[in-house]
């Protein structure tokens, strides 16, 4: 793919380094002593909330006196002998949420943004842009609107933007988390080629440890609120510390969690999509591309007491279909109707239900967690739905307290939701959909990537909570690329590809021609 980074990697030195976020009493990290030599490839591990993303942000120069993230710093953090906030041009960061990294309306302009700000000669910028887009397998041209991309496509675009800057220090925070299996494998191949062709230093955070362990030559494990708990080549680290790390929630190759999930009871159909089609919004401007069809003639039935999983490639329309099933998006054509017991509440299409009624019967977890936060603290966020629905405060507080404990959010109860890490935000977003308690939970739960960014302990709790609601007769519908989640919870897998769906009731995916009506 050609060289996409500079001729040599950066050197990183941390001595007694610590960081405390503004408004927090506890340090995210403290006493970190770490040296990374030029060209080293580091896999950064730790339990959810251990400070992995915080460390990446610090290496990218986003903390410190002149940084964008407010807080208190101690110790020293140097990149090539200078404070990190003075070396930003040498560093490329792809964060957990690519949505926050896209700054331009068109894909090519977004990738060009970094090189332009680094003063790259204009005649060199567009060859860099094209090479970076091709390297990550971006499926559209330069002019494609960034607002029309799926989460996985935005992740690819953000990675292309980092590669086009040709950084000497590349920082990647869950770079394949929202990608389909084929896309994740492609990105790993890109990174492997990149690391062979250049001497760029890599610091990688990734929960799919088994998939990336061959890319790195060193594993560094962070202690929550502390420093480095383990450091060395992958084999010795996993051999010597594997059991202890697994107990802390770190994903260890060959040690996937085994949640206790009751058998799915099944039940009547609660919602049905019939002949549903969806199109992209019309873009402004006389030269804007016309709307394109995302989904066409989709039929899908969602039954009580089952978990339905939407799988398939990025950009196929999984999130779009979820939002229509949740009643939050009106189909371009076709209809999503309540069925069975759900029709007893309102027989109109779900998209025509009043907001309060829809929220009572259909709980939704968005792809971007921040889209659903409406209060100023974690605790108030969880109390909002049950109190609004008329639950007694004592009952609501009891269940919310249990959720906080099970999902390891108790210490964050008084924090603003926007200040949480990516994994913590995801846990909170799922918890809000469950906050009415087992007896008052919505009839249908619609979740977009519900296990993103979780360590093994919180992953297990989330799966067991969803399994318990399924056992009580709720319908669970989720879009996910998480294979352990699919194995543990999915009763029906619906593959979304090419604007169509195909489903099987035996939990497997079936290839081949699409039947006349499927998903029932």
């Amino acid at each position: 793919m050609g060289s996409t980074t500079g001729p040599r990697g950066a050197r990183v030195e941390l001595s007694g380094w610590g960081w405390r976020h503004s408004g927090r009493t506890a340090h995210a990290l403290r006493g970190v002593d770490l040296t990374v030599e030029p060209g080293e490839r580091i896999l950064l591990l730790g339990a959810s909330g251990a400070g992995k993303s915080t460390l990446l942000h610090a290496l990218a120069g986003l903390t410190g006196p002149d940084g964008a993230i407010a807080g208190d710093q101690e110790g020293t953090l140097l990149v090539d002998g200078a404070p990190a906030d003075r070396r930003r041009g040498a560093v490329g960061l792809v964060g957990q949420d690519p949505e926050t990294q896209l700054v331009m309306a068109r894909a090519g302009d977004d990738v060009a943004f970094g090189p332009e700000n680094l003063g790259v000669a204009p005649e060199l910028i567009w060859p860099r842009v094209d090479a970076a887009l091709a390297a990550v397998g971006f499926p559209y041209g330069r002019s494609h609107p960034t607002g029309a991309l799926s989460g996985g496509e935005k992740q690819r675009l953000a990675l292309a933007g980092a590669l086009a800057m040709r950084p000497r220090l590349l920082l990647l925070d869950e770079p394949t988390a929202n990608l389909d299996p084929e896309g994740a494998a492609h990105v790993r191949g890109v990174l492997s080629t990149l690391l062979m062709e250049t001497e760029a230093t890599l610091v990688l955070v990734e929960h799919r440890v088994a998939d990336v362990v061959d890319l790195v030559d060193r594993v560094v494990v962070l202690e929550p609120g502390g420093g480095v708990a383990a450091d060395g080549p992958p084999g010795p680290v996993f051999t010597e510390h594997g059991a202890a790390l697994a107990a802390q929630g770190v994903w260890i190759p060959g040690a996937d969690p085994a949640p206790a999930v009751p058998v799915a009871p099944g039940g009547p159909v609660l919602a049905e999509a019939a002949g549903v089609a969806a199109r992209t919004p019309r873009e402004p401007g006389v030269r804007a591309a016309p709307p394109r069809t995302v989904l066409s003639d989709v039929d899908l039935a969602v039954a009580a007491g089952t978990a339905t999983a939407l799988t398939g490639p990025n950009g196929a329309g999984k999130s779009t279909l979820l939002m229509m099933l949740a009643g939050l998006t009106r189909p371009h054509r076709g209809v999503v109707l309540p069925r069975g017991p759900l029709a007893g509440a309102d027989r109109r299409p779900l998209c025509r239900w009043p907001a309060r009624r829809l929220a009572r019967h259909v709980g939704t977890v968005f792809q971007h967690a921040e889209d659903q936060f409406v209060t100023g603290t974690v605790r108030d966020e969880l109390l909002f739905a049950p109190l609004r629905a008329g639950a007694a405060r004592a009952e609501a507080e009891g269940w919310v307290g249990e959720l906080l404990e099970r999902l390891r959010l108790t210490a964050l109860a008084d924090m603003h939701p926007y200040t949480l890490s990516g994994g913590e935000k995801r846990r909170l977003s799922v918890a809000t959909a469950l906050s009415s308690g087992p007896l008052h939970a919505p009839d249908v739960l619609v979740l977009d990537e519900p296990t993103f960014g979780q360590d093994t302990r919180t992953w297990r709790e989330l799966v067991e909570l969803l399994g318990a609601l399924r056992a009580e007769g709720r319908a669970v519908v989720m879009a996910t690329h998480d294979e352990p989640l699919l194995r543990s919870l999915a009763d029906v897998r619906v593959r979304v590809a090419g604007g169509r769906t195909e489903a099987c009731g035996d939990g497997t995916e079936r290839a081949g021609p699409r039947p006349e009506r499927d998903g029932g």
Side-chain angles (χ1 to χ4, degrees):
M1 70 179 179
S3 178
T4 55
T5 67
R8 60 181 295 274
R11 188 174 194 269
V12 174
E13 302 170 82
L14 293 92
S15 178
W17 187 82
W19 178 262
R20 183 179 63 188
H21 290 286
S22 179
R24 302 277 183 96
T25 57
H27 281 73
L29 286 164
R30 200 170 201 185
V32 178
D33 297 311
L34 180 66
T35 299
V36 182
E37 298 295 341
E40 278 198 293
R41 310 167 186 177
I42 305 295
L43 175 62
L44 199 60
L45 296 181
S48 181
K52 302 183 295 295
S53 296
T54 297
L55 182 53
L56 290 190
H57 291 156
L59 293 173
L62 299 179
T63 62
D66 299 322
I69 300 175
D72 299 316
Q73 180 173 271
E74 59 187 28
T76 59
L77 187 158
L78 305 176
V79 176
D80 285 335
D85 56 0
R86 300 179 192 172
R87 294 291 189 184
R88 291 174 185 166
V91 181
L93 168 68
V94 178
Q96 281 186 339
D97 185 2
E99 182 84 22
T100 63
Q101 294 190 245
L102 304 184
V103 296
M104 304 297 285
R106 299 191 304 178
D109 294 339
D110 199 86
V111 178
F113 183 82
E116 286 177 342
N117 279 273
L118 293 177
V120 175
E123 65 271 16
L124 301 179
I125 289 178
W126 291 110
R128 282 198 190 189
V129 169
D130 292 338
L133 289 173
V136 301
F138 188 70
Y140 311 111
R142 297 179 189 170
S143 299
H144 194 80
T146 55
L149 300 176
S150 71
E153 291 167 343
K154 289 176 180 177
Q155 201 161 24
R156 291 189 192 220
L157 187 61
L159 179 58
L163 296 183
M165 294 171 63
R166 300 191 176 177
R168 294 171 44 241
L169 174 59
L170 183 59
L171 309 170
L172 303 179
D173 198 350
E174 301 277 1
T176 65
N178 290 321
L179 299 183
D180 57 73
E182 293 80 9
H186 178 86
V187 166
R188 290 193 296 270
V190 169
L191 292 176
S192 178
T193 301
L194 171 73
L195 295 170
M196 286 189 297
E197 292 182 348
T198 75
E199 297 177 358
T201 303
L202 172 72
V203 182
L204 169 68
V205 174
E206 179 61 78
H207 276 98
R208 300 174 181 178
V209 174
D211 293 334
V212 300
V213 70
D214 291 338
L215 289 176
V216 301
D217 45 40
R218 183 175 165 195
V219 172
V220 174
V221 182
L222 296 180
E223 186 74 33
V228 175
D231 183 358
V237 167
F238 293 138
T239 299
E240 297 173 22
H241 303 280
L245 294 176
Q248 295 172 19
V250 178
W251 291 88
I252 300 298
D256 286 350
V261 179
V263 174
V269 171
L270 295 180
E272 183 176 12
V276 162
R279 303 179 73 185
T280 58
R282 184 176 296 277
E283 296 291 326
V286 295
R287 296 184 180 180
R292 63 183 178 88
T293 298
V294 179
L295 295 168
S296 179
D297 298 323
V298 170
D299 301 322
L300 178 63
V302 176
T306 63
T308 300
L310 305 184
T311 67
N314 295 121
K318 300 184 296 297
S319 296
T320 300
L321 180 54
L322 277 185
M323 292 302 100
M324 290 191 293
L325 290 171
L328 299 176
T329 300
R330 184 185 300 273
H332 173 68
R333 187 176 61 252
V335 66
V336 178
L337 291 168
R339 297 297 190 196
L342 194 60
D346 193 326
R347 302 192 68 86
R348 292 177 296 176
L350 288 178
C351 65
R352 295 177 57 192
W353 281 27
R356 184 181 293 269
R357 183 174 301 154
L358 187 66
R360 168 65 187 86
H361 293 278
V362 181
T364 306
V365 172
F366 297 107
Q367 188 174 57
H368 305 292
E370 294 92 338
D371 291 346
Q372 63 193 92
F373 297 150
V374 296
T375 72
T377 71
V378 169
R379 190 189 312 276
D380 289 343
E381 197 68 38
L382 295 178
L383 287 170
F384 180 81
L387 293 181
R388 190 181 185 198
R393 177 167 283 275
E395 178 188 6
E397 288 180 344
W399 174 242
V400 165
E402 182 178 339
L403 276 179
L404 289 169
E405 187 68 27
R406 291 185 66 175
L407 296 180
R408 291 176 169 80
L409 294 170
T410 303
L412 305 171
D414 296 322
M415 297 294 103
H416 196 289
Y418 282 12
T419 67
L420 305 183
S421 72
E424 291 163 349
K425 288 176 183 176
R426 173 52 67 208
R427 294 204 297 282
L428 177 58
S429 66
V430 176
T432 60
L434 311 178
S435 61
S436 295
L439 298 179
H440 309 292
D443 301 285
V444 180
L445 288 166
V446 177
L447 311 110
D448 204 339
E449 296 289 355
T451 54
F452 166 79
Q454 301 309 305
D455 64 29
T456 59
R457 296 173 302 177
T458 53
W459 184 92
R460 181 187 297 108
E461 290 288 358
L462 285 173
V463 175
E464 290 182 351
L465 282 166
L466 294 174
L469 289 172
R470 181 188 67 172
E472 292 166 0
R474 269 65 178 188
V476 176
V477 191
M478 53 191 179
T480 184
H481 301 298
D482 184 348
E483 187 58 38
L485 174 62
L486 291 168
R487 292 195 301 267
S488 299
L489 196 66
D491 304 300
V492 178
R493 297 194 193 188
V494 178
R495 180 170 175 80
V496 184
R500 303 296 180 95
T501 60
E502 182 175 346
C504 307
D506 58 0
T508 63
E509 295 189 61
R510 177 185 299 140
R514 177 178 179 269
E516 285 298 317
R517 292 180 66 87
D518 50 52

